[in-house]
Amino acid sequence: MAPDPLVAVKRGLAVFPIPPGGKRPAFPGWQRSALRDVDQVRRVWRPGDNVGIGCWASGVVGLDLDVADGHHNTDVDGADTLAALCAAHGQPWPRTLTVRTPSTGRHLYLRVPAGRVILSSSGGRSPLGPGIDVRGPGRGQRGGYLIGPDSVVHGRRYTVLDDLPIAELPAWMADLLEES
């Protein structure tokens, strides 16, 4: 099954093509070329392209929960960090669209409330703690991106784990993530 960008577009996400099997955009300026229009996507998409999700154009933040598997820059599972953070704030785990990554990590998609500026962070510098990379919309079309569902990297697929509507980023989490 080839990645289908229209599945993401129907969820309100803006997509851009990534070369088959890849994780990086093929061209600069992908932030401004992310599309939400079904007809435009059909015109430009090449069979087999992976799906990039532009966080800025989509108005979402992606929480990338890494696993401590020796391939990520963490010795802590991001899911454990997020569970502890939710418990410390007396809040539930966010119920939202969740995608399992090929490394068995997770991408949680959350809508960013209007007026909030959430930047990307990774490599242990995330305000949410170790094992959690943040792919934020940023500002001025300079946000991060996620690899979308059904994309294939190294022969392994990104799969939808929790097929839920994209929830709003909880205020307590936005407060931790928002640019100061």
Side-chain angles (χ1 to χ4, degrees), residues 131-153:
I132 302 176
D133 294 336
V134 177
R135 304 294 177 239
R139 69 167 95 177
Q141 300 180 2
R142 294 189 198 138
Y145 68 92
L146 293 164
I147 305 299
D150 292 330
S151 294
V152 178
V153 176

Side-chain angles (χ1 to χ4, degrees), residues 61 63 82-83 85-86 89 91-94 108 110 113 116 118 127-128 132 134 168-178:
V61 62
L63 303 184
L82 183 59
L85 191 63
C86 289
H89 285 83
Q91 299 295 320
W93 182 278
L108 278 66
L110 296 156
R116 296 288 197 137
I118 309 293
L128 298 182
I132 302 176
V134 177
E168 185 164 305
L169 179 67
W172 68 271
M173 199 178 289
D175 290 345
L176 292 172
L177 290 171
E178 189 163 34

Side-chain angles (χ1 to χ4, degrees), residues 160-174:
V160 173
L161 182 64
D162 293 324
D163 193 1
L164 299 168
I166 299 173
E168 185 164 305
L169 179 67
W172 68 271
M173 199 178 289

